[in-house]
């Protein structure tokens, strides 16, 4: 996971590293807030909504072992600055 806290829009990259014996024949499902977003071992997404987001991976190995990974990501509002007035 590339970031656990950031400012909107937040670009997040993710990947699952598995030992060769687990990776061969495994399937993976990445979810953001419970919605499927990818079935690849790695990928990326952009989080625009302010607040907490849950990124999870469900990995099923070739011998039907289940591995679950997850991380909560906090997206903060973009700060705006006002130009100082010049007298």
């Amino acid at each position: 996971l590339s970031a656990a806290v950031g400012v909107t829009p937040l670009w997040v990259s993710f990947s699952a590293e598995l030992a060769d014996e687990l990776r061969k024949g495994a399937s993976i499902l990445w979810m953001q807030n419970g919605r499927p977003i990818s079935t690849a071992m790695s990928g990326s997404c952009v989080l625009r909504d302010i607040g907490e987001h849950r990124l999870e991976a469900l990995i099923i190995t070739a011998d039907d072992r289940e591995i679950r990974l997850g991380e909560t990501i906090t997206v903060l509002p973009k700060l705006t600055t006002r130009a100082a007035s010049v007298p």
Side-chain angles (χ1 to χ4, degrees):
L1 185 62
S2 59
V5 176
V7 175
T8 188
L10 179 61
W11 181 273
V12 178
S13 58
F14 49 86
S15 65
E17 295 183 24
L18 299 172
D20 287 341
E21 63 271 9
L22 293 176
R23 187 178 189 133
K24 186 176 181 180
S27 63
I28 186 166
L29 175 63
W30 287 95
M31 294 170 283
Q32 176 195 340
N33 299 328
R35 293 185 331 260
I37 59 170
S38 179
T39 56
M41 282 293 171
S42 62
S44 62
C45 63
V46 178
L47 303 176
R48 291 183 172 82
D49 295 335
I50 295 165
E52 290 191 342
H53 299 263
R54 186 76 180 155
L55 184 64
E56 298 176 293
L58 170 60
I59 303 165
I60 306 294
T61 63
D63 61 354
D64 288 329
R65 284 188 276 174
E66 188 174 292
I67 302 168
R68 291 181 180 266
L69 309 169
E71 182 77 33
T72 298
I73 303 162
T74 303
V75 179
L76 304 171
K78 184 179 267 187
L79 297 177
T80 57
T81 58
R82 295 184 183 190
S85 58
V86 178

